[in-house]
Amino acid sequence: MLETLKTMYDGYGFDNVVGISYFNKFLDELRSYRFSEIFAIQAKTYPLRYVFDFLLSTPSLWVQLSDVEWIEIMNSMNPRPYPLKLSLDNGYFADIHFLAKYIRVNSIEVFLRQPSFRDLDKNYVIQYCQRDVYSFLVDEIDLEDLDGDYFVSEQEIRSVQSRLTYGGIFSNFNFNEDELINFLKKEHSLLNSLQ
């Protein structure tokens, strides 16, 4: 699997083939591995933008994942590194970032409510989110790419959002920049008061 993931990364963006059309040629092989393993290796090895492109280009690998499976993926990414010593384009928080930004579910809150996750990891997640709040918001360019041709369609993403929120573990992620800043401050205070 490691060799396939490296080949995928090394070839991405050459010959003007990107997005779904690029990753489709690897799908058959990728399906023979557990998605959580693929995700963890990608996120811990490659830049965030590449990890996002991979996820947005391979919906068949993750659209059917349950809320519990996403929490297992979050757990597989722990322990987290101290985010303020990493570049902004690190992938170590890609699970939480992807779910919030693109699927529009409150993965931050879900992560912070997991009793088995370390308080240190929870603090790191808050620090990561506070570091670049704007990157959690979807802009017009992001939406243009969600066309089902270049990346997964916005309709398919809304279907995943609906399914994940239906279970009651995830809620919708509907913050503007100021609301997200206030939410993170509140969560940080709450977390510190419990320690």
Side-chain angles (χ1 to χ4, degrees):
M1 174 173 47
L2 290 175
E3 189 175 318
T4 300
L5 297 182
K6 184 174 183 335
T7 299
M8 238 170 35
Y9 176 73
D10 288 345
Y12 190 63
F14 293 100
D15 299 327
N16 294 323
V17 181
V18 293
I20 290 172
S21 59
Y22 176 77
F23 289 105
N24 271 348
K25 58 188 172 186
F26 298 97
L27 277 179
D28 287 340
E29 186 174 351
L30 292 174
R31 284 191 185 102
S32 64
Y33 305 110
R34 288 184 43 166
F35 178 74
S36 59
E37 292 174 30
I38 294 169
F39 183 93
I41 291 168
Q42 297 267 73
K44 292 177 180 180
T45 309
Y46 301 115
L48 181 66
R49 183 66 256 171
Y50 171 79
V51 176
F52 281 174
D53 282 13
F54 169 75
L55 291 169
L56 294 169
S57 302
T58 57
S60 63
L61 298 177
W62 53 264
V63 291
Q64 294 302 321
L65 293 179
S66 70
D67 45 13
V68 171
E69 288 171 308
W70 276 110
I71 292 170
E72 288 170 3
I73 289 170
M74 290 178 186
N75 190 42
S76 74
M77 293 297 294
N78 293 335
R80 311 271 171 159
Y82 179 56
L84 303 183
K85 286 193 175 178
L86 300 172
S87 75
L88 281 174
D89 196 32
N90 80 85
Y92 281 95
F93 299 85
D95 50 339
I96 293 160
H97 201 150
F98 176 75
L99 286 168
K101 178 174 180 132
Y102 291 103
I103 308 303
R104 310 303 296 153
V105 294
N106 197 338
S107 53
I108 302 164
E109 182 178 56
V110 168
F111 186 90
L112 297 175
R113 299 294 180 267
Q114 297 308 306
S116 63
F117 293 0
R118 299 179 323 156
D119 285 346
L120 184 60
D121 288 318
K122 293 175 183 181
N123 268 311
Y124 286 172
V125 164
I126 291 171
Q127 290 170 356
Y128 172 82
C129 297
Q130 288 175 323
R131 188 175 179 197
D132 188 12
V133 170
Y134 186 76
S135 71
F136 280 80
L137 309 176
V138 175
D139 61 27
E140 289 303 313
I141 295 170
D142 293 321
L143 291 174
E144 285 175 18
D145 290 340
L146 301 177
D147 59 5
D149 186 35
Y150 184 70
F151 285 149
V152 61
S153 71
E154 191 174 355
Q155 180 181 2
E156 197 164 10
I157 281 180
R158 294 302 146 246
S159 174
V160 174
Q161 178 193 38
S162 178
R163 197 169 40 71
L164 289 178
T165 55
Y166 180 79
I169 293 176
F170 286 93
S171 60
N172 287 323
F173 187 82
N174 293 324
F175 297 113
N176 64 33
E177 192 171 359
D178 289 337
E179 290 167 342
L180 181 52
I181 288 168
N182 290 333
F183 168 76
L184 292 169
K185 282 180 183 172
K186 182 180 140 212
E187 290 297 328
H188 188 252
S189 296
L190 180 63
L191 182 61
N192 287 334
S193 72
L194 297 173
Q195 292 177 351

